[in-house]
Amino acid sequence: MCGITGWISYRRDLTAHQESVDAMTETMSCRGPDAQGSWVTPRAALGHRRLAVIDLPGGAQPMEARTENGTVAMVYSGEAYNYVELRDELRRRGHRFETDSDTEVVLRGYLEWGEELPDKLNGMYAFAIWDPRTEKLVMIRDRMGIKPFYYYETDDGVLFGSEPKAILANPLASPVVGADGLREIFSFTKSPGFAIWEGMRELRPGHLAVLDRGGLRERAYWKLEATEHTDSQEATVAHVRELLEDIVARQLVADVPRCSLLSGGLDSSAMTALAAKQLAERGETVRSFAVDFPDQSENFRAEDIAPTQDTPFVHAVKDHVRCDHSDIVLDGTALSDPAVRRAAVGARDLPVGLGDRDNSLYLLFAAIREQSTVALSGESADEVFGGYPWFHDERADAHVFPWMARGSILDLSGALSGELTAGLGLQTYLDDSYSSAVAEAPLKDGESGHEKRMRQVCYLHLTRMVQTLLDRKDRMSMAVGLEVRVPFCDHRLVQYVFNTPWSLKTFDGREKSILREATRDLLPDSVVQRKKSGYPGSFD
């Protein structure tokens, strides 16, 4: 995992702008504390900050590949979980490798397959490749948008980076948020491609963008599709288990210490148990971490989205799968520290978020980073399998984003002036955003009624809400140099479960029926039966 940035210019000589390239790269230092590098030519400048995870001595970037017609260079963030198979295939095609890194596999994959490369990849990634043979920049983001990628068109090229702050460090970028940016911030919609700052875009998940002298073009290389699901209930459960076993095995690969984030919920517990099972076969023990607060058992108050306290369930999993577990206890003094708040807001690049829950996530990741470099997370299982309460509420049929159906979150009377609020027209913006999102949702021929509606609801979660959560987790973890992997975002699992009928997703009358049945044998019954409980907050 790393921080990347770059600048392409067809009229300037970028060798005279090393200082700007260095400033852009330096903003990514938290994302890559282990090494830094830059690669500057007249037309292209690339910057990289490295968090070393695979092939620690051999994966330095920017990485070059020399060809007869020029040197192709790349900056890459993320992990290609199938890099071993791809490397074997490329070797059979005549490629020779100088390192054991997945970075080199991706770069040589581009030399072999060009813009068809992302079709071959399984993983989380955001990368840019400068190809001098045709003077083009190819920018690619993973299918689910796990890793971030932003770009900003200039009068003669483009700026790009893992975060807006990298782009804004260049004097060509104006740090301006206009009316549309404010509408996006305060409607909490996370519209795909929208980057808040004027002139800036976020490369959409599953998209590829190409810049050449003719301009910049973005296209989708992958998207969710509606297909017929023919597997029985038993076969569906078995296939999900098979997929999860393969996904976790791939995502455990690392040359640095790794762990799991354990909340005691079904999602993180299933993922931790799968990791424990696989590591035990190698004679290893999985490490796990959970967040907790002083006197939480005495102060805890049940809430709609968090009806139970995590710790008893966390410890039940710890005892059941025999993981090496640590509770990270955060007190009110740490959570309210202005420096922590400043760091959390700085990580997001915007003064919006989840308040003390952002602070606690930042502190949790910082504490984990002292002992581990890679963490597996149960994030996104609720979006994939239908775990939120509003999936199972008649108000899910309301023509609003389902997570907003239980009440408005647009009351900004205490934050913005009445004149500004009225001028933004937030309700209209929200209605339009919802309508365009629903219109995108793929449907099977003849699909109607409740099944059609629930497919739309699942699509809204997988393309809007999941982006909010993935962005938050990436920003808070990379702010302290921790790589968080999200097994439930493997595109094979997402596509398969998306096409599983809603009646099958809820075959036992509960949320996440398929995941519960697929992992029941690995977990204590108390966790199998536990209802959804969100990320905890302190009651201090």
Side-chain angles (χ1 to χ4, degrees):
M1 199 70 68
C2 306
I4 66 173
T5 191
W7 183 2
I8 306 300
S9 175
Y10 291 108
R11 293 201 298 268
R12 296 172 177 84
D13 180 353
L14 295 184
T15 60
H17 296 273
Q18 181 74 55
E19 186 176 343
S20 292
V21 175
D22 290 344
M24 296 168 69
T25 306
E26 183 58 27
T27 66
M28 299 289 95
S29 59
C30 291
R31 299 185 77 92
D34 295 330
Q36 65 177 352
S38 63
W39 184 88
V40 182
T41 65
R43 297 280 76 82
L46 306 177
H48 187 265
R49 293 289 311 213
R50 187 184 184 203
L51 176 64
V53 172
I54 292 176
D55 188 12
L56 306 191
Q61 297 187 49
M63 185 170 282
E64 303 176 21
R66 292 177 175 81
T67 74
E68 293 180 355
N69 299 310
T71 298
V72 179
M74 179 179 75
V75 281
Y76 167 81
S77 171
E79 307 292 346
Y81 299 127
N82 62 335
Y83 80 99
V84 174
E85 300 100 295
L86 290 179
R87 184 173 59 203
D88 291 343
E89 181 177 352
L90 288 165
R91 278 176 172 155
R92 290 193 296 270
R93 292 171 176 263
H95 291 267
R96 294 184 177 182
F97 290 85
E98 298 177 1
T99 75
D100 293 323
S101 69
D102 61 326
T103 304
E104 187 178 8
V105 172
V106 173
L107 179 55
R108 296 202 166 274
Y110 171 78
L111 297 181
E112 181 67 33
W113 297 301
E115 293 176 25
E116 304 306 312
L117 166 63
D119 297 335
K120 297 279 190 176
L121 298 177
N122 174 288
M124 56 177 187
Y125 46 82
F127 58 92
I129 297 174
W130 172 248
D131 190 340
R133 299 171 299 180
T134 52
E135 286 198 316
K136 72 177 181 180
L137 179 74
V138 180
M139 300 171 278
I140 298 174
R141 191 178 183 198
D142 66 68
R143 294 170 180 83
M144 290 297 291
I146 304 166
K147 299 313 300 175
F149 193 108
Y150 295 85
Y151 65 85
Y152 184 104
E153 290 190 75
T154 67
D155 59 353
D156 73 332
V158 73
L159 308 169
F160 68 84
S162 295
E163 297 179 11
K165 58 173 65 72
I167 293 170
L168 296 175
N170 188 291
L172 294 182
S174 299
V176 174
V177 177
D180 282 343
L182 291 175
R183 292 183 181 106
E184 185 68 17
I185 289 172
F186 291 114
S187 61
F188 307 101
T189 54
K190 191 59 176 161
S191 301
F194 210 105
I196 306 298
W197 306 94
E198 287 196 352
M200 195 181 297
R201 295 279 296 167
E202 186 174 15
L203 187 60
R204 291 187 62 159
H207 277 58
L208 172 152
V210 176
L211 172 79
D212 58 24
R213 288 185 179 274
L216 191 149
R217 301 169 300 282
E218 182 176 332
R219 66 173 175 85
Y221 68 85
W222 181 86
K223 58 185 177 181
L224 286 168
E225 297 178 348
T227 59
E228 195 69 35
H229 185 86
T230 58
D231 290 350
S232 67
Q233 176 182 313
E234 183 179 5
T236 299
V237 170
H239 187 59
V240 166
R241 175 61 175 267
E242 181 183 358
L243 281 171
L244 289 173
E245 293 271 11
D246 179 69
I247 292 165
V248 170
R250 291 178 182 277
Q251 298 198 19
L252 281 172
V253 174
D255 295 331
V256 292
R258 59 221 187 288
C259 66
S260 71
L261 308 177
L262 179 59
S263 72
L266 176 63
D267 314 335
S268 67
S269 299
M271 180 269 303
T272 300
L274 285 164
K277 173 176 174 286
Q278 294 187 13
L279 290 176
E281 294 170 358
R282 311 178 208 168
E284 300 179 49
T285 300
V286 67
R287 296 211 64 185
S288 61
F289 295 91
V291 66
D292 202 0
F293 308 95
D295 303 318
Q296 186 78 337
S297 57
E298 291 82 4
N299 297 330
F300 180 80
R301 298 189 302 274
E303 299 174 330
D304 183 32
I305 193 63
T308 52
Q309 186 185 348
D310 283 353
T311 302
F313 298 94
V314 167
H315 290 177
V317 174
K318 175 198 69 172
D319 295 339
H320 193 80
V321 307
R322 298 179 181 177
C323 51
D324 179 6
H325 179 75
S326 299
D327 290 322
I328 306 299
V329 181
L330 306 175
D331 63 25
T333 301
L335 292 173
S336 61
D337 185 341
V340 171
R341 176 62 178 160
R342 188 175 299 111
V345 172
R348 279 189 177 267
D349 280 329
L350 291 167
V352 294
L354 297 179
D356 68 288
R357 282 172 168 80
D358 280 356
N359 297 5
S360 68
L361 192 61
Y362 174 86
L363 289 170
L364 170 66
F365 288 157
I368 292 173
R369 182 62 177 89
E370 294 178 2
Q371 304 177 62
S372 186
T373 308
V374 171
L376 299 187
S377 167
E379 192 79 87
S380 305
D382 287 304
E383 289 78 12
V384 174
F385 290 97
Y388 293 112
W390 47 81
F391 273 102
H392 311 274
D393 189 317
E394 61 183 13
R395 282 170 287 191
D397 288 330
H399 291 286
V400 296
F401 289 108
W403 48 93
M404 298 181 182
R406 295 185 169 199
S408 173
I409 58 173
L410 299 181
D411 181 6
L412 302 175
S413 57
L416 303 179
S417 71
E419 182 180 1
L420 177 56
T421 301
L424 292 177
L426 291 176
Q427 190 60 57
T428 299
Y429 184 81
L430 185 61
D431 292 343
D432 290 346
S433 297
Y434 171 79
S435 297
S436 63
V438 170
E440 289 177 10
L443 299 172
K444 292 190 304 180
D445 291 341
E447 196 165 29
S448 62
H450 191 58
E451 282 291 342
K452 172 184 175 182
R453 176 56 185 165
M454 294 315 294
R455 182 186 290 278
Q456 292 172 330
V457 168
C458 290
Y459 182 83
L460 294 174
H461 282 80
L462 290 169
T463 59
R464 267 64 178 179
M465 189 172 194
V466 77
Q467 285 300 298
T468 299
L469 299 177
L470 289 174
D471 182 72
R472 173 178 178 249
K473 185 147 286 183
D474 173 83
R475 297 297 190 96
M476 294 302 150
S477 60
M478 293 308 295
V480 297
L482 176 70
E483 175 176 308
V484 174
R485 298 176 177 179
V486 280
F488 290 110
C489 276
D490 185 288
H491 71 278
R492 299 169 298 164
L493 179 69
V494 173
Q495 178 68 35
Y496 183 77
V497 178
F498 177 67
N499 283 295
T500 303
W502 183 251
S503 57
L504 210 164
K505 285 188 177 84
T506 56
F507 67 79
D508 62 359
R510 294 191 58 187
E511 74 287 351
K512 293 186 282 195
S513 306
I514 297 171
L515 178 60
R516 178 177 294 102
E517 192 62 26
T519 57
R520 178 185 296 274
D521 63 304
L522 300 171
L523 301 170
D525 189 63
S526 62
V527 172
V528 172
Q529 301 304 328
R530 188 186 185 193
K531 286 188 173 293
K532 165 69 181 176
S533 194
Y535 182 79
S538 171
F539 292 91
D540 182 348

